[in-house]
Amino acid sequence: MSDVTIYWRPGCVFCMRLENALGASRNKATWRNIWEDDEAREFVAMVNDGNEVVPTVVIDGRPHTNPDPALVARALKG
């Protein structure tokens, strides 16, 4: 299984789509709410040209902006 961190915010339809697509495997990832975590918000802006684009998913140290849920699911399955 890969190391997966998902940066999200409440009300984001793309975040909800990702969460739903992952099903039970979503619990294997670390979720960081950018509206409650300043460090997470700053990281997301840094890797997205100053924009707070979510979901931003880091898989084994590599950021992916609004990735295909299948990519994240594969990483969580190992």
Side-chain angles (χ1 to χ4, degrees):
M1 182 174 71
S2 298
D3 179 36
V4 178
T5 301
I6 300 171
Y7 295 85
W8 70 286
R9 66 167 173 77
C12 168
V13 295
F14 299 107
C15 299
M16 289 185 272
R17 176 186 73 131
L18 176 61
E19 184 178 15
N20 289 335
L22 295 177
S25 66
R26 69 181 173 268
N27 296 323
K28 296 177 182 176
T30 300
W31 292 76
R32 294 183 67 180
N33 180 345
I34 67 165
W35 282 358
E36 295 180 353
D37 182 336
D38 289 337
E39 183 180 292
R41 181 181 42 77
E42 291 169 8
F43 173 79
V44 168
M46 180 185 70
V47 300
N48 289 295
D49 298 321
N51 299 303
E52 295 178 4
V53 181
V54 289
T56 294
V57 180
V58 178
I59 300 171
D60 292 332
R62 184 169 174 232
H64 303 267
T65 303
N66 198 14
D68 184 323
L71 172 72
V72 182
R74 282 192 303 274
L76 291 171
K77 289 181 182 176

